[in-house]
Amino acid sequence: MIQLLDRTFEPFIGTNELDNRLVGLAEELKNFYQHKQVKVLVVLNGAAVFAVDLLRLLPVNFQMDFVKVKSYENMDSTGEVKAVFGMNHAIEGEEVLLLEDIVDTGLTIDRLKEDLQRLNPSRMEVCSLLFKPEAFKGKEIPKFIGFSIPNKFVVGYGLDYNEYGRNLKEIYQLKEL
Ligand code: IMP
Ligand code: MG
């Protein structure tokens, strides 16, 4: 168990499970994007850790760039996206793959997709390490999902609790009081 600020978290998804699933996801992406040039847009900050591990398993036709949005404070999704940076990508006519750490309500990714759609990519898909089906209120379920998980707050492997815990090697789940 670990303590971050005022909360206790318990181990949930270990490093072996993460490593194995990343290999599987890389295979799915390779198959889907065979012979295509792909522009991977990593949604900061959360997806950074997941992205560098995943990208090293992918072939050279995958390029990487970053976008940033912010929608979360404390542990409740407000559904309000506060800022979007890095929207000056030349993605017109490109195959775009958005890499997310987690799709919870789905509102953040929906808003980001709407904004990026205006830049006319040829196609845009989402790959999210984690997905919370019970919380989801978005338009489209991510095409590529690492793990579907229960509707509980998680940290580690890029995911944070008020910016703490991103550096944890494994994913931890909030321990209910
Ligand atoms: P959504 O808009 O509700 O889908 O929330 C998306 C964003 O909220 C994610 O990109 C995360 O940054 C953050 N988030 C959602 N659930 C969690 C969680 O369980 N732990 C940490 N961050 C989360
Ligand atoms: Mg995020």
Side-chain angles (χ1 to χ4, degrees):
M1 290 218 283
I2 54 144
Q3 184 80 20
L4 295 174
L5 302 171
D6 56 339
R7 300 293 167 136
T8 306
F9 294 85
E10 52 196 358
F12 180 49
I13 305 174
T15 49
N16 281 347
E17 224 181 320
L18 283 167
D19 289 350
N20 291 339
R21 187 63 195 111
L22 257 62
V23 170
L25 267 182
E27 280 305 312
E28 289 174 37
L29 294 170
K30 275 189 243 177
N31 293 337
F32 186 80
Y33 289 112
Q34 270 182 43
H35 314 303
K36 295 203 179 71
Q37 289 295 127
V38 187
K39 198 154 257 186
V40 176
L41 293 185
V42 180
V43 185
L44 294 174
N45 296 330
V49 175
F50 164 50
V52 295
D53 283 350
L54 182 68
L55 267 280
R56 280 181 287 206
L57 300 172
L58 291 171
V60 290
N61 57 329
F62 284 78
Q63 299 177 319
M64 179 165 76
D65 213 333
F66 299 92
V67 289
K68 182 156 185 168
V69 298
K70 190 157 173 49
S71 72
Y72 234 63
E73 256 158 33
N74 290 311
M75 293 195 284
D76 300 301
S77 187
T78 56
E80 198 189 317
V81 177
K82 291 212 171 113
V84 183
F85 308 98
M87 302 297 292
N88 51 350
H89 299 284
I91 56 170
E92 190 168 340
E94 304 260 10
E95 263 313 320
V96 172
L97 175 66
L98 290 173
L99 274 198
E100 254 291 24
D101 52 353
I102 186 163
V103 173
D104 182 5
T105 61
L107 299 175
T108 306
I109 198 74
D110 273 1
R111 170 65 203 284
L112 179 59
K113 278 166 76 181
E114 251 174 56
D115 287 351
L116 289 168
Q117 208 52 260
R118 294 195 199 110
L119 303 174
N120 296 315
S122 67
R123 176 164 49 188
M124 192 161 37
E125 301 292 354
V126 176
C127 174
S128 186
L129 175 65
L130 303 174
F131 176 58
K132 290 181 181 168
E134 295 152 33
F136 187 68
K137 295 187 275 197
K139 295 206 179 94
E140 208 181 335
I141 292 172
K143 185 161 201 83
F144 305 95
I145 293 172
F147 302 89
S148 288
I149 63 168
N151 194 7
K152 279 195 189 173
F153 194 78
V154 292
V155 294
Y157 199 65
L159 293 120
D160 72 302
Y161 170 45
N162 288 351
E163 295 303 325
Y164 287 95
R166 294 195 196 277
N167 53 330
L168 294 164
K169 286 199 176 68
E170 316 199 318
I171 295 176
Y172 290 77
Q173 193 175 53
L174 180 68
K175 190 167 160 42
E176 305 295 344
L177 299 174

